Amino acid sequence: MTAGMASPPPEDAGVEAFFHRRGWRIFDFQRQSWNAYLAGDSGLIHAPTGTGKSLAAWLGPLQEWLNSGETGAVGCRVLWITPLRALATDLVEKLREPVDILDLPWQVEKRTGDTPASQRARQRRRLPAALVTTPESLALMLSYAEGARPFSGLRCIVVDEWHELLGSKRGVQLELCLAHLRARLPRLRVWGLSATLGNLDQALKALLGMRGKGLVIDGTLPKRNRIEALIPATLNRFPWSGHLGTRLLPEVIAAVERHDSTLLFTNTRSQAERWYQALLDSRPDWAGTVALHHGSLDRTLRDGAEALLRAGRLRCVVATSSLDLGVDFSPVQQVIQVGSPKGVARLLQRAGRSGHQPGAESRVLCVPSNAFELIEVAAARRAAADNRLEARPPLRSCLDVLVQHLVTLASGPGFRAGELRAEVRSTHAFATLGESEWRWALDFVCNGGSALGNYEQYRRVVREAGRYRVAEARLARQHRMSIGTITDDPMIQVRWLRGGSLGSVEESFIARLRPGGRFRFAGRLLELVRVRDLTAYVRGATSGTNAVPRWMGGRMPLSTELADNVLELLARADEGKFEEPEMAATRDILRLQARWSALPGPTRLVVEQNRSREGTHLFLYPFAGRLVHEGLAALLAYRLSRLQPCTFNLSVNDYGLELLSRNFPDIGADHLKELLSDTNLAEDILACLNAAEMAKRQFRDIARIAGLVFHGYPGRGKSARQLQASSSLIWEVLQDYDGGNRLLEQARREVLESQLEFSRLATCLKRLAAMEIRYTEAGQLTPLAFPLWAARIQTQVSSESWQARVERMAARLEQAAEAAC
Amino acid sequence: MLSIRWHGETLRMHWERGLYWPAMTTLFIADCHFGKAAAFQRQGIPIPEGSNRRDLGRLDTLIEAWRPERLVVLGDFFHAPPSPDESLFRDFRRWREAHSCLDITLLEGNHDRRLSTLAATLSLRWETGPLPLPPFSCRHEPSDSSPVPTLCGHLHPVLRLRTGRERLRVPIFWFGNRQAVLPAFGSFTGGMPVRLRGGDRAFAVGDSAVVPVRA
């Protein structure tokens, strides 16, 4: 840690006076940031939320204006980009504070999708000195006739929460827009604000472009992080997912009671719904002081919870990653994480949401839902201490975003191909863009695609006097409706029968319900009345089942950094060292695992085989995260079935995988190495997973971003219906009549990279090749095998009989364990 | 070729999504949506054309299989009015000349209103209301109040099938008590999942077969 010492108050006027008047101390990193800005530098400031990053970036431009001696109205000098439009209002207030105190003639305004049309029109004529906006709104502004001209006086762009955009297509879109402005304003400085990541240099490169240079400034205060675990009095030797979580409810309630205000994070929205309900069921007297916050709830419900939290009127908010971002919630004294932390950086970011009082420490209390998650907590603490954080790799070569950008710019003053190509290639995202890809993208927006004869009615972008522009104003208007890259699964709005929205759930969940069916959502028990036009009308219910919607995409894999630390801790346990309290608590379980089989480690792959009435089970524990294990399980099954025809049942979790078959081929440790080789990996993976089907699903987002799916104008549902086609239908048509369309290829690549984590899988296989394989014929399910077995059974039977069966098996194994001890 | 007895008549189903009534040597198809991709293209959405020619070829297959005297299209033959410079127009004219003896009746659908003049230039009969072909009535949109057994389209019915881990959406011929709904003929058409009622019979359309399915 480099920064953080308080400086003696200098007698300087200028922006530092703001700190003196507020009685705040200035941190070295803040002064370092604005000095670098004044010297003409760009940069990236990283620190957890609530350490004063925003001021570090904001005061430089203000000081620069003071130094210039200018007076009078200030033109648009600063663009402030935030990933969430919901944060824009808070940001404007925050930025206005020093402006007001220093009495500067600076206008600070926001412009997002929520901004009224009258204000947007006024802003089109004249922008404020500082404009807070989102990546999508920036792209939208560039699509108007005046293009980048309103920004000609711009000095600085600040990208807030850059870590959140990095690694997403929104980040790629922003990279393109930044490059466009940079090409017109050579002296423009760009500053990013980010949580601490494992790849800060790369994050800086993505922000500044390939030719940009800048500083990485560490704003981590010497505030202490405390990562602790709620250790239950007794631990089951045979843990299964979801079991322990609610058992620890009394302890969690006690922890909530000890503080005025707690943020309780869960990993999924369904878990958040369940915990909210469990808290209120145990403490009905807390009604009104406990709130629920997740991404599928209606905006007004979320806003309400945030306002109450900020006002210090809530005892506890149960939240998902929807509260990872945002301005300070200063009253929060404690953060609780339920379930696996999944990643170190994320846990630290969450911990940073508490302890904003001077001298306080960031404290996160982890509530494991099984014994191995307890080890993850110790692993997270180690990784945090060593500063081994996850990287968030920026995306590259997203042609869908590129074609959208081409149409965006063509909707405005238009572009020249050569100039724009240079601009696009200056970004990190498209630095390796080949000539043929560039030509294809340009062709795509002009002619539709390479299969020319099949696009005879198509006209979108045309070349006139060397400039590419949209063919008709109508097409530009239509494009503006669909600017943006955030895409959602088809969602069903949930509304009260009498009016008022509660939020949205996935279509597939509602499709399983019939009118009269009950479910829990937004913290309430609801009864479905009818579904019409993508809206589910509900009324309150007083009793019924506990069905909670499950949202897709909530299953983030365990990070490599965390998994590696878990393996190291297991290796130490193998040597008899149980230093951390979490390790001491799991000692019995780990010893049993070692006795019945072996403990995995950084250089040891544990493989267990056993037989049951169901057939032969093979368990492997590579600790590479569930996505990699999914790929690995499918790969093994595929390669085994080539030795001898057989069918497998597969089960995976973050630690390992299970293969079950009635006629399992005979394989030993040596043969297993061959089966795990990385030769022909890509071909085998594509052959064994239903990659074609997955690519078709992945294409849904791509089609929307590239403008192949048009959602129509608001309020003109009927006329847009003529232009509706599902993305899977478009996928098939493209495959049949324009197979060379590169968006198809992109979908296949994205499936490999993001859905299957192909590179992580390849790395994992390389590592496994060098490992010692400890092969055991285990007599029964080991503590590591049990949760895999339980998860597989869950997919086969109803939930009641599942619970009973898993409890029976756990009891039987407990007996065996007692006998063994 | 799979046959069904429905209201005393024999009807045959083809995997190219045509229904044949041998007693009247009449072929039925529904919801071709010719020119759909071009309609997208005119709105600046680059969907490739190409399915038109394939679909005309599929129509040839049906005609060769049964040699009907009459073709009845149960609505939405065109997706949107084609522009005269479209190759679809030329392709279709050529196709019509090759089948000049075939009597073709188009029922007006919700997509191809205002096309009566176009139909005339291609020597197609144009019907705006239900077409009675006793004992049946033919129409585009299903109607619960129809007093006679009805052949119709419009819904693009598909059935969601689940077998173990696999999920499948298949277009179906859907025979209810008084109403028979044809699958959409056009290749570039989506489908609407339907729920079968007791007594309904459904036939899934595969690549080279039609098979009866249960809900």
Side-chain angles (χ1 to χ4, degrees):
Chain A
M1 298 191 197
T2 58
M5 297 313 292
S7 313
E11 297 308 311
D12 195 355
V15 292
E16 300 204 352
F18 164 68
F19 281 79
H20 306 145
R21 259 182 248 175
R22 291 300 311 256
W24 291 347
R25 56 182 192 175
I26 300 170
F27 292 107
D28 284 349
F29 88 87
Q30 291 174 318
R31 196 171 278 141
Q32 190 192 350
S33 304
W34 62 71
N35 284 339
Y37 175 81
L38 292 172
D41 287 325
S42 295
L44 182 70
I45 308 168
H46 68 97
T49 320
T51 47
K53 275 181 299 190
S54 314
L55 285 175
W58 177 226
L59 296 189
L62 291 184
Q63 182 68 55
E64 179 183 44
W65 182 82
L66 285 171
N67 291 352
S68 72
E70 282 175 45
T71 51
V74 187
C76 186
R77 293 169 73 101
V78 178
L79 204 53
W80 198 283
I81 314 279
T82 167
L84 278 181
R85 64 182 182 192
L87 300 180
T89 312
D90 294 328
L91 267 167
V92 167
E93 273 172 38
K94 198 165 162 185
L95 300 182
R96 268 185 193 153
E97 203 184 352
V99 167
D100 291 344
I101 287 185
L102 297 170
D103 198 21
L104 307 178
W106 279 51
Q107 291 266 9
V108 183
E109 288 177 12
K110 65 169 181 167
R111 185 204 174 95
T112 66
D114 302 331
T115 309
S118 59
Q119 192 177 346
R120 284 205 301 254
R122 187 166 50 72
Q123 286 171 346
R124 263 185 86 179
R125 289 193 297 275
R126 193 170 175 285
L127 286 174
L131 184 70
V132 176
T133 190
T134 60
E136 291 76 22
S137 285
L138 173 59
L140 194 60
M141 283 187 269
L142 293 176
S143 78
Y144 289 118
E146 55 274 21
R149 219 180 322 124
F151 300 107
S152 54
L154 207 60
R155 305 295 176 98
C156 179
I157 299 179
V158 178
V159 182
D160 217 337
E161 318 255 21
W162 177 227
H163 62 276
E164 200 56 38
L165 293 168
L166 193 72
S168 76
K169 289 187 177 175
R170 301 179 72 203
V172 174
Q173 181 189 36
L174 183 60
E175 281 183 50
L176 287 168
C177 290
L178 290 178
H180 189 66
L181 291 173
R182 217 166 10 232
R184 271 140 203 85
L185 306 162
R187 294 188 50 227
L188 182 72
R189 281 148 285 176
V190 178
W191 282 81
L193 310 179
S194 165
T196 306
L197 297 171
N199 60 332
L200 287 166
D201 289 332
Q202 205 178 22
L204 181 75
K205 189 130 253 165
L207 183 71
L208 301 184
M210 299 310 282
R211 289 192 296 270
K213 291 213 167 22
L215 295 82
V216 173
I217 292 178
D218 184 350
T220 316
L221 299 180
K223 181 165 85 167
R224 282 201 302 153
N225 279 310
R226 262 200 19 216
I227 299 174
E228 291 176 330
L230 196 63
I231 300 177
T234 57
L235 266 176
N236 281 28
R237 292 190 181 93
F238 301 97
W240 34 309
S241 161
H243 179 61
L244 249 186
T246 38
R247 229 182 56 179
L248 292 173
L249 184 66
E251 285 89 342
V252 168
I253 285 179
V256 170
E257 264 173 341
R258 277 196 297 274
H259 295 87
D260 293 336
S261 179
T262 297
L263 263 180
L264 189 144
F265 281 110
T266 65
N267 286 333
T268 65
R269 286 166 273 189
S270 332
Q271 270 178 341
E273 292 272 354
R274 289 213 169 85
W275 271 89
Y276 174 78
Q277 200 51 45
L279 284 176
L280 280 183
D281 284 350
S282 309
R283 294 297 302 259
D285 54 313
W286 283 0
T289 62
V290 179
L292 180 64
H293 193 291
H294 63 68
S296 293
L297 292 183
D298 192 71
R299 186 72 246 164
T300 53
L301 297 178
R302 280 185 278 164
D303 285 348
E306 285 173 32
L308 287 173
L309 178 62
R310 215 170 295 133
R313 285 168 52 197
L314 289 181
R315 177 182 287 280
C316 180
V317 177
V318 182
T320 62
S321 53
S322 60
L323 267 190
D324 277 354
L325 293 188
V327 287
D328 317 345
F329 294 111
S330 301
V332 174
Q333 291 175 344
Q334 168 179 248
V335 170
I336 295 179
Q337 161 74 39
V338 171
S340 161
K342 301 284 186 184
V344 188
R346 188 171 84 137
L347 190 64
L348 289 180
Q349 175 79 357
R350 288 186 167 179
R353 309 251 52 172
S354 70
H356 287 158
Q357 296 78 13
E361 60 182 2
S362 284
R363 189 162 171 274
V364 59
L365 180 66
C366 297
V367 181
S369 55
N370 67 49
F372 287 98
E373 285 181 359
L374 207 48
I375 302 176
E376 285 183 42
V377 178
R381 191 184 308 120
R382 280 167 61 107
D386 299 346
N387 215 15
R388 276 198 279 174
L389 304 185
E390 291 84 11
R392 203 169 286 192
L395 299 181
R396 305 198 86 160
S397 304
C398 307
L399 288 178
D400 51 347
V401 182
L402 179 60
V403 300
Q404 186 185 87
H405 185 65
L406 294 181
V407 181
T408 296
L409 295 184
S411 302
F415 59 84
R416 288 179 193 282
E419 280 168 24
L420 187 59
R421 185 183 51 193
E423 207 175 287
V424 167
R425 282 208 186 133
S426 76
T427 63
H428 178 269
F430 296 100
T432 55
L433 184 77
E435 185 60 29
S436 64
E437 285 166 299
W438 165 257
R439 288 250 50 107
W440 180 83
L442 204 56
D443 262 3
F444 178 76
V445 299
C446 295
N447 309 322
S450 46
L452 271 182
N454 280 339
Y455 292 98
E456 57 177 31
Q457 296 288 309
Y458 179 74
R459 241 162 74 90
R460 194 169 190 193
V461 174
V462 292
R463 188 162 167 229
E464 283 165 1
R467 287 190 88 77
Y468 288 82
R469 308 197 51 179
V470 288
E472 291 169 59
R474 166 181 73 95
L475 297 177
R477 278 199 303 278
Q478 183 181 306
H479 178 69
R480 287 186 196 110
M481 308 291 311
S482 50
I483 280 184
T485 49
I486 328 173
T487 50
D488 288 317
D489 285 325
M491 284 290 192
I492 294 269
Q493 285 288 318
V494 181
R495 294 185 75 88
W496 292 114
L497 200 53
R498 294 183 177 167
S501 171
L502 285 163
S504 51
V505 297
E506 288 193 354
E507 195 182 1
S508 54
F509 176 75
I510 289 291
R512 283 198 301 272
L513 288 176
R514 297 195 176 231
R518 312 220 158 152
F519 63 106
R520 214 168 261 295
F521 177 64
R524 293 159 189 275
L525 190 60
L526 304 171
E527 180 190 320
L528 180 67
V529 180
R530 61 166 174 265
V531 181
R532 187 175 297 164
D533 292 340
L534 291 176
T535 305
Y537 293 91
V538 298
R539 60 171 157 242
T542 45
S543 64
T545 69
N546 258 325
V548 174
R550 290 185 66 162
W551 288 268
M552 306 283 283
R555 320 208 81 187
M556 181 180 176
L558 186 70
S559 81
T560 306
E561 285 69 17
L562 205 47
D564 285 354
N565 272 287
V566 170
L567 283 177
E568 278 163 32
L569 283 170
L570 291 178
R572 294 182 72 77
D574 204 34
E575 295 163 11
K577 293 178 187 149
F578 296 88
E579 291 120 326
E580 288 85 351
E582 293 84 2
M583 298 307 291
T586 47
R587 184 199 302 250
D588 271 5
I589 295 168
L590 297 182
R591 285 204 169 142
L592 186 67
Q593 172 68 33
R595 180 166 320 140
W596 283 1
S597 163
L599 282 176
T603 57
R604 179 196 289 160
L605 172 67
V606 170
V607 179
E608 294 161 6
Q609 190 170 24
N610 59 37
R611 284 180 186 86
S612 73
R613 269 179 309 176
E614 294 177 288
T616 302
H617 309 250
L618 188 73
F619 294 93
L620 280 81
Y621 310 106
F623 279 75
R626 63 178 313 124
L627 289 182
V628 167
H629 293 155
E630 267 171 29
L632 209 51
L635 181 74
L636 273 177
Y638 173 72
R639 289 178 174 175
L640 281 166
S641 62
R642 278 195 308 198
L643 296 178
Q644 166 190 321
C646 49
T647 54
F648 293 92
N649 272 312
L650 310 177
S651 173
V652 302
N653 62 19
D654 273 328
Y655 309 139
L657 56 102
E658 178 203 16
L659 270 75
L660 163 67
S661 179
R662 289 203 175 277
N663 50 345
F664 215 107
D666 252 339
I667 50 158
D670 293 341
H671 207 96
L672 197 59
K673 280 243 150 151
E674 277 169 46
L675 291 168
L676 291 171
S677 110
D678 62 356
T679 329
N680 294 330
L681 178 59
E683 292 91 326
D684 286 0
I685 279 288
L686 289 176
C688 69
L689 291 168
N690 198 346
E693 197 52 39
M694 291 172 86
K696 193 162 151 185
R697 258 177 279 147
Q698 186 76 10
F699 185 68
R700 187 155 67 183
D701 285 357
I702 295 174
R704 239 178 276 186
I705 294 167
L708 285 165
V709 178
F710 178 54
H711 281 295
Y713 304 103
R716 283 179 59 188
K718 276 270 188 280
S719 62
R721 198 161 294 168
Q722 283 224 344
L723 295 174
Q724 274 176 11
S726 73
S727 62
S728 61
L729 187 56
I730 294 174
W731 167 268
E732 281 159 22
V733 169
L734 284 177
Q735 281 217 312
D736 286 349
Y737 303 109
D738 190 5
N741 194 305
R742 288 183 189 240
L743 297 175
L744 300 173
E745 186 53 43
Q746 189 188 331
R748 294 185 196 109
R749 206 182 61 218
E750 281 181 13
V751 163
L752 275 184
E753 271 319 312
S754 58
Q755 296 214 23
L756 302 173
E757 287 199 308
F758 184 77
S759 4
R760 196 173 164 192
L761 176 60
T763 313
C764 169
L765 287 179
K766 281 213 165 60
R767 257 170 75 163
L768 293 182
M771 281 162 98
E772 164 216 358
I773 292 184
R774 186 70 67 86
Y775 200 96
T776 312
E777 298 254 352
Q780 57 266 305
L781 293 172
T782 62
L784 271 172
F786 184 72
L788 282 164
W789 174 83
R792 179 170 52 73
I793 296 299
Q794 188 172 20
T795 63
Q796 294 170 356
V797 296
S798 70
S799 61
E800 284 93 326
S801 60
W802 173 69
Q803 185 103 1
R805 202 166 153 193
V806 168
E807 268 162 15
R808 225 170 26 243
M809 176 60 101
R812 193 152 13 147
L813 289 168
E814 280 294 339
Q815 275 175 5
E818 289 299 331
C821 282
Chain B
M1 226 79 55
L2 209 59
S3 298
I4 180 177
R5 289 285 289 180
W6 197 62
H7 290 279
E9 297 293 324
T10 298
L11 297 168
R12 290 188 184 150
M13 291 166 276
H14 197 286
W15 60 86
E16 292 293 10
R17 307 182 195 185
L19 183 74
Y20 185 57
W21 186 10
M24 299 290 284
T25 58
T26 299
L27 169 65
F28 298 93
I29 56 172
D31 301 289
C32 307
H33 291 271
F34 279 113
K36 183 172 174 186
F40 278 66
Q41 292 177 15
R42 281 193 288 273
Q43 295 295 325
I45 302 171
I47 308 283
E49 195 57 86
S51 55
N52 290 333
R53 271 181 211 167
R54 177 162 82 183
D55 287 351
L56 287 176
R58 290 172 51 227
L59 200 43
D60 284 342
T61 308
L62 290 175
I63 291 168
E64 275 156 33
W66 286 314
R67 309 229 160 257
E69 288 167 19
R70 183 173 194 189
L71 170 67
V72 176
V73 181
L74 302 169
D76 286 352
F77 187 69
F78 288 110
H79 183 76
S83 69
D85 63 334
E86 242 177 283
S87 53
L88 162 67
F89 209 76
R90 294 190 297 276
D91 291 345
F92 193 79
R93 193 183 286 269
R94 214 173 296 134
W95 181 86
R96 185 67 181 107
E97 280 159 14
H99 300 279
S100 51
C101 302
L102 189 65
D103 177 280
I104 304 180
T105 306
L106 303 187
L107 293 189
E108 182 181 271
N110 53 319
H111 273 282
D112 49 9
R113 289 180 189 130
R114 302 183 306 275
L115 289 180
S116 48
T117 38
L118 178 79
T121 59
L122 293 167
S123 27
L124 312 168
R125 269 182 228 273
W126 186 257
E127 291 284 346
T128 52
L131 172 72
L133 287 180
F136 303 131
S137 165
C138 308
R139 46 189 299 144
H140 178 54
E141 297 188 26
S143 155
D144 289 329
S145 58
S146 174
V148 289
T150 307
L151 298 174
C152 56
H154 183 62
L155 295 182
H156 302 201
V158 298
L159 210 55
R160 285 181 170 149
L161 301 176
R162 281 184 79 165
T163 52
R165 288 190 160 202
E166 247 182 312
R167 283 166 173 219
L168 210 59
R169 269 168 68 103
V170 286
I172 52 166
F173 288 94
W174 181 20
F175 290 90
N177 190 14
R178 306 201 65 81
Q179 212 147 251
V181 188
L182 269 64
F185 176 81
S187 317
F188 184 34
T189 55
M192 190 189 82
V194 295
R195 247 184 214 161
L196 301 187
R197 282 165 298 202
D200 287 1
R201 282 177 290 172
F203 300 87
V205 182
D207 283 341
S208 55
V210 177
V211 288
V213 282
R214 283 166 185 279

